[in-house]
Amino acid sequence: PESTSLTFRHFPLAAHPNSPLAHQAAECAHEQHKFWDYHDRLFAQQMQWAFVPNPAEFFLTYANELGLDLDAFAYCLVDQKIRQRVLADKTQGERLQIKSTPTFFVNDERVVGLIELQKRIAVLTGEPFSEPEPPPGTVSQAAGNAVGK
């Protein structure tokens, strides 16, 4: 293909209690043109905020570290219009029967998971694909070692 585009849709998972507010925070960063920077920070710092009773202080800290306007960000974090935007994405995902993240659609074909996406891209581009090695110390690596890999 000559061009591709990526559209991010929010899909907060019920198993992650702070996920809805994290998605709203990312959307607030988007309002200030820093979505991907904020998105990456959320993933990098997930263990910090994922299970605390009130993650907002972490979200504000990340916004400050990225140079966002904190007053606008704090207002956005409680803005019901932004919350509804995240919920609308979630509802659309449910209609598409998305069960996990990440889920992608490539030429209207559902592709679940990053490795499957990499495989699909390899098919589309004609490039070879090789399965990445699991990180050291992971369960996958231990299972591979157990069967003599």
Side-chain angles (χ1 to χ4, degrees):
E2 290 190 22
S3 68
T4 41
S5 66
L6 174 67
T7 303
F8 185 94
R9 299 285 185 223
H10 297 282
F11 198 76
L13 297 170
H16 302 285
N18 291 333
S19 177
L21 189 59
H23 281 269
Q24 185 159 344
E27 195 63 21
C28 292
H30 172 68
E31 294 285 306
Q32 297 185 44
H33 311 288
K34 292 280 191 171
F35 175 82
W36 289 110
D37 293 334
Y38 199 88
H39 167 277
D40 294 348
R41 181 69 51 97
L42 283 173
F43 274 97
Q45 302 298 326
Q46 189 170 7
M47 293 312 296
Q48 230 180 17
W49 59 263
F51 299 103
V52 298
N54 181 8
E57 68 182 76
F58 291 107
F59 298 159
L60 288 165
T61 297
Y62 307 152
N64 185 50
E65 291 169 354
L66 292 172
L68 301 181
D69 176 331
L70 287 184
D71 290 336
F73 187 88
Y75 177 79
C76 182
L77 209 50
V78 296
D79 186 340
Q80 291 304 305
K81 287 184 290 190
I82 301 298
R83 182 176 180 273
Q84 289 304 316
R85 193 181 304 164
V86 170
L87 291 176
D89 281 358
K90 170 87 174 181
T91 300
Q92 180 184 23
E94 289 168 343
R95 279 197 303 269
L96 293 169
Q97 299 178 341
I98 291 173
K99 303 290 184 218
S100 63
T101 61
T103 297
F104 305 90
F105 288 88
V106 178
N107 297 334
D108 296 324
E109 179 186 332
R110 177 190 319 268
V111 180
V112 179
L114 206 46
I115 291 175
E116 292 304 314
L117 176 64
Q118 291 168 334
K119 288 178 184 177
R120 184 71 178 127
I121 290 170
V123 167
L124 292 171
T125 61
E127 296 290 323
F129 172 80
S130 59
E131 226 26 74
E133 288 293 319
T138 62
V139 173
S140 297
Q141 185 190 37
N145 290 341
V147 295
K149 279 192 169 179

